[in-house]
Amino acid sequence: MASQDWFDKDFYKVLGVSKDVSPAELKKAYRKLARKYHPDANPGNAAAEAKFKELSEAHAVIGDAEQRKEYDAVRAMGGGARFTAPGGGGQAGGFEDVFGGMFGGGGGGRQQGYSFQQGGFDDVLGGVFGRGGGQFGTSSGGFRGYGGPSRGHDVVATATIDFITAVHGDQITLQTQDGRPIKVKIPAGVADGQKIKLRGKGQPSPDGGEPGDIVLTITVRKHPVFEREGLNLRVTVPITFVEATLGATIEVPTLGGPPVKLRVAPGTPSGRVLRVKGRGVTTPKGVGDLLAVVQVAVPSHLSNDAQEKLEAFAEALPRENPREDLLARAKG
């Protein structure tokens, strides 16, 4: 913002507050007016848009403790003064009128104790406004300069979504700190911890420039059955000892759809992976599979009759030790 604006504009009046307003009351007043005049609430209303920019400009200055102190000091030096070119002689309200007493100089000509060639006009503003070393027109100085209006600040936010929403995608509604609802499109296949940028949904510019963005970090809730591995979905499927031994056709759940039938071959061990093509995560980059991991469920209770038959079955089996190879490799 140009420093001349600080002379011309009464930001307290714009926001409808007194000069001794507390930061909390100032923030409350700004939010109330911002909701009333926000462009989203007044589509096509140029007057409301202009008012909203004026409110944002005012709050950007007096809502910041350091800038508010500078603003109050400038206003106290003499409202209505105008900058004129150095050496303007006796032009009333010129640069010398405002800063003359500050640098110990007289009514006209060069000020004592400061050289306009040594450091230039920027150094004067740096000293007056407490921005020592800041360049006139840069964001560090807080003024609108040669680069045009400044961009609004980005806002960092988080959103927690269900597992199925992350896999299939959906549209959710978030609410900003000032109560504005924002619709967010969650793309299919979004991962836990992934960031989504909502362009133009951040803080408004204090001087009519582009608004900032919202940077949204996604947290995905765990699913009780499915896990994600890249584009694949993994699910553990228990089968009985008999199904594993003799083979069977079983049903396997899918995410958000009906179960699918899979054939378990005779002699299937625990840990074997049965793959269902195309039933994983679908994104523009590709389609994953559903991985069904077989887990043989051992019965915890047997009747006397079943136990006797199982013992007879064990007697009929060849005398093999399935851990023999493991023990041999462990020694090597």
Side-chain angles (χ1 to χ4, degrees), residues 237 248-252 260-264 274-276 290 292:
V237 183
T249 298
I250 62 173
E251 283 191 331
V252 175
V260 294
K261 291 185 177 182
L262 289 180
R263 177 63 185 168
V264 177
L274 308 179
R275 185 181 296 265
V276 184
L290 175 64

Side-chain angles (χ1 to χ4, degrees), residues 70 85 144 147 160 213 256 291 305:
E70 297 164 7
R144 184 190 304 173
T160 301
D213 302 329
L291 308 178
D305 182 56

